[in-house]
Amino acid sequence: MSGCYYPYLYGRQSELYALRNLAEEDRISDNVLPIVEPVSNSKVSIYLLRSVIETFRKHDLHIGVVINPVEGISTPSLLRLVGLRGNRSVVPVIVLSEDASDNLETVKEYKFYNPYIVVAREGRYQLQDGSLPQIQGLRAINFSVLLYEGGNAVKQDVLGSQMALQGFNNFSRAALTDHFHKLPRNVDYSEHPDEMFSRDHLFYRNFGDNGFGDYSVIGEERPSGGFAAYAVVIHWVYFDNNQVLRIHHYVSDSNEDFRDPGKKFDQAVWKLVNDNKAMTTFAADRFRYYLENGLFPGLAMIKRLSIMHHLELMNAFLNSAEE
């Protein structure tokens, strides 16, 4: 039996559209359980999140939603506005933090259909004999997955908190790792066009885990204000001959200024299409379609399709592991 892949996303519009499109096109299964931490309380973001959840429900898929986002929207507002109650597709996610126990108290009477996923992040909490409120609160919930960031030390800290975890022996474990090597400028990727991305899908069981997670081709860094970039880049993952996941960065050529983004888009897409790396996904077909028809769908489409490609590729890998 294959494990589960947990891509962790921040609920930006490109990410939400990517998830909705994947479900609509039947390009993922329950081998992939996306986790969304909403970082915006705008009407558009709330509407899109509700739409994604409904699409996943219609396609009998599951999606994780962080009920205590670090920023952007409060737990009471999220519960009120997004409509999580009783939805069989929603997996509630709690991030261990100083106020985690307060948030759990808020949702104590809020009945979720599925057990929780618990996220333990490196450097964002401290465990002292399992006595701190953020870990104590786990005793009050039913959780099925521990998603830990920061390697084995963090996992052992949480697993060693016997007082907090007493009675919970059957939960799964998965590492959450940022594999994306973020550079200061898009044009800088032309100096590092191809890199190793991840081997987690090959070795996660060696560490006693039941799955693995990452921040896809975006990285762990939280959203910030955007700006016009001189270069356009497509971050594209693919498997090498040893099934190691690598990432190639296709960078535009006319990068002297930020004018004519459509031309830059064509340049980057032309390189992708003619390199023929993992070009069997829905996203690959869309990039080919735009290039062949001289269409420029906007730069936001690059991020959407790159995420879709990554998640579909991992889904296909895990599906094949079941056969």
Side-chain angles (χ1 to χ4, degrees):
M1 180 179 177
S2 65
C4 189
Y5 168 51
Y6 302 93
Y8 197 103
L9 305 169
Y10 286 119
R12 290 161 285 202
Q13 291 186 30
S14 294
E15 300 165 3
L16 294 174
Y17 278 123
L19 293 177
R20 191 173 72 180
N21 291 163
L22 282 167
E24 290 170 339
E25 298 294 331
D26 293 319
R27 299 293 176 134
I28 61 172
S29 67
D30 265 344
N31 283 330
V32 177
L33 201 165
I35 295 176
V36 176
E37 181 179 344
V39 295
S40 172
N41 59 2
S42 72
K43 290 183 178 179
V44 172
S45 296
I46 295 299
Y47 167 79
L48 279 176
L49 181 55
R50 291 177 65 102
S51 175
V52 170
I53 291 171
E54 177 61 16
T55 303
F56 270 61
R57 186 194 65 78
K58 288 180 178 179
H59 289 261
D60 295 320
L61 297 169
H62 290 90
I63 182 170
V65 179
V66 175
I67 62 171
N68 64 328
V70 174
E71 59 190 48
I73 184 171
S74 67
T75 296
S77 295
L78 180 65
L79 296 175
R80 184 179 71 254
L81 295 174
V82 178
L84 307 179
R85 186 188 301 272
N87 193 317
R88 290 174 179 261
S89 68
V90 172
V91 179
V93 180
I94 189 80
V95 176
L96 291 184
S97 61
E98 292 181 359
D99 59 355
S101 61
D102 294 336
N103 289 307
L104 285 169
E105 188 67 25
T106 301
V107 300
K108 188 165 58 175
E109 304 302 324
Y110 203 96
K111 304 300 182 183
F112 288 106
Y113 186 83
N114 296 298
Y116 282 74
I117 292 176
V118 173
V119 178
R121 279 188 165 139
E122 182 179 26
R124 301 188 187 176
Y125 66 98
Q126 291 182 338
L127 300 176
Q128 298 174 356
D129 301 322
S131 61
L132 293 186
Q134 61 263 37
I135 194 76
Q136 279 186 324
L138 295 184
R139 289 182 293 178
I141 66 172
N142 175 24
F143 70 95
S144 61
V145 179
L146 168 67
L147 192 60
Y148 63 93
E149 180 187 78
N152 197 55
V154 172
K155 177 170 69 171
Q156 293 307 318
D157 274 349
V158 178
L159 296 182
S161 304
Q162 295 300 323
M163 185 175 70
L165 301 180
Q166 185 177 4
F168 295 99
N169 300 315
N170 297 318
F171 56 87
S172 301
R173 294 175 291 276
L176 176 61
T177 309
D178 184 2
H179 292 296
F180 184 69
H181 180 204
K182 188 173 180 60
L183 296 178
R185 305 174 302 165
N186 282 351
V187 71
D188 295 336
Y189 289 103
S190 60
E191 301 297 323
H192 307 275
D194 199 276
E195 304 172 280
M196 199 280 286
F197 188 76
S198 175
R199 297 186 179 92
D200 292 350
H201 55 290
L202 299 175
F203 300 117
Y204 65 93
R205 292 194 186 279
N206 293 0
F207 301 99
D209 292 344
N210 309 91
F212 55 96
D214 59 33
Y215 296 92
S216 190
V217 293
I218 300 174
E220 186 273 341
E221 185 175 311
R222 290 177 175 275
S224 58
F227 57 90
Y230 280 24
V232 166
V233 58
I234 302 172
H235 306 295
W236 197 253
V237 294
Y238 68 98
F239 290 115
D240 69 12
N241 293 333
N242 296 313
Q243 292 296 290
V244 172
L245 197 63
R246 299 187 63 84
I247 185 167
H248 198 94
H249 312 287
Y250 298 96
V251 184
S252 58
D253 296 315
S254 55
N255 304 323
E256 297 78 17
D257 53 46
F258 54 79
R259 290 180 294 182
D260 203 348
K263 179 180 179 181
K264 300 175 193 291
F265 175 85
D266 285 347
Q267 292 168 349
V269 174
W270 187 92
K271 292 180 180 180
L272 165 67
V273 169
N274 285 278
D275 199 14
N276 200 34
K277 284 184 169 65
M279 293 301 290
T280 60
T281 61
F282 175 85
D285 289 342
R286 295 308 296 173
F287 274 126
R288 266 193 296 262
Y289 174 81
Y290 293 137
L291 185 66
E292 292 170 358
N293 291 277
L295 301 175
F296 175 47
L299 295 180
M301 185 61 71
I302 293 178
K303 183 178 293 184
R304 184 196 306 191
L305 292 178
S306 299
I307 294 170
M308 290 181 66
H309 170 73
H310 182 200
L311 272 57
E312 181 179 344
L313 207 64
M314 299 313 300
N315 183 72
F317 175 86
L318 291 171
N319 283 345
S320 66
E322 289 185 334
E323 298 175 354

